[in-house]
Amino acid sequence: MQINQILEGWGNLIKDSLNVLHPPIKAVAETRLKHCDICTIRKNNICDPKKTIENVVTKKLVKGCGCNIAAKTLSMKAQCPASKW
């Protein structure tokens, strides 16, 4: 994940905690979280880099990215390593 995506995600997480997050961004994050909530590579709030999953597009095994899921789902340019969103 690139630094600008990390900063955007964490910035939006702070905005969300202050109830000033732009509603369309929150809607996208909520949709993404539905996928993450049932994902087998999720460990607590982390996309576990020690676990693997099949990418739904390439069908190749990929590792979790290690990102904080709450922040990553709020970065509009971020992508799921399994291409679920």
Side-chain angles (χ1 to χ4, degrees), residues 21-85:
L21 182 64
H22 196 54
I25 294 173
K26 187 171 180 98
V28 168
E30 288 172 350
T31 299
R32 291 175 171 186
L33 280 171
K34 288 179 184 176
H35 292 282
C36 297
D37 286 344
I38 59 171
C39 186
T40 59
I41 62 173
R42 181 179 182 148
K43 183 176 182 183
N44 299 318
N45 195 35
I46 302 295
C47 183
D48 193 343
K50 295 178 183 175
K51 295 182 180 181
T52 58
I53 191 169
E54 185 181 88
N55 182 292
V56 297
V57 174
T58 66
K59 305 300 181 199
K60 294 180 180 180
L61 285 180
V62 295
K63 291 184 177 184
C65 59
C67 291
N68 176 290
I69 293 170
K72 184 168 185 163
T73 58
L74 285 164
S75 173
M76 296 299 97
K77 293 182 182 176
Q79 296 178 349
C80 168
S83 297
K84 293 182 179 184
W85 47 265

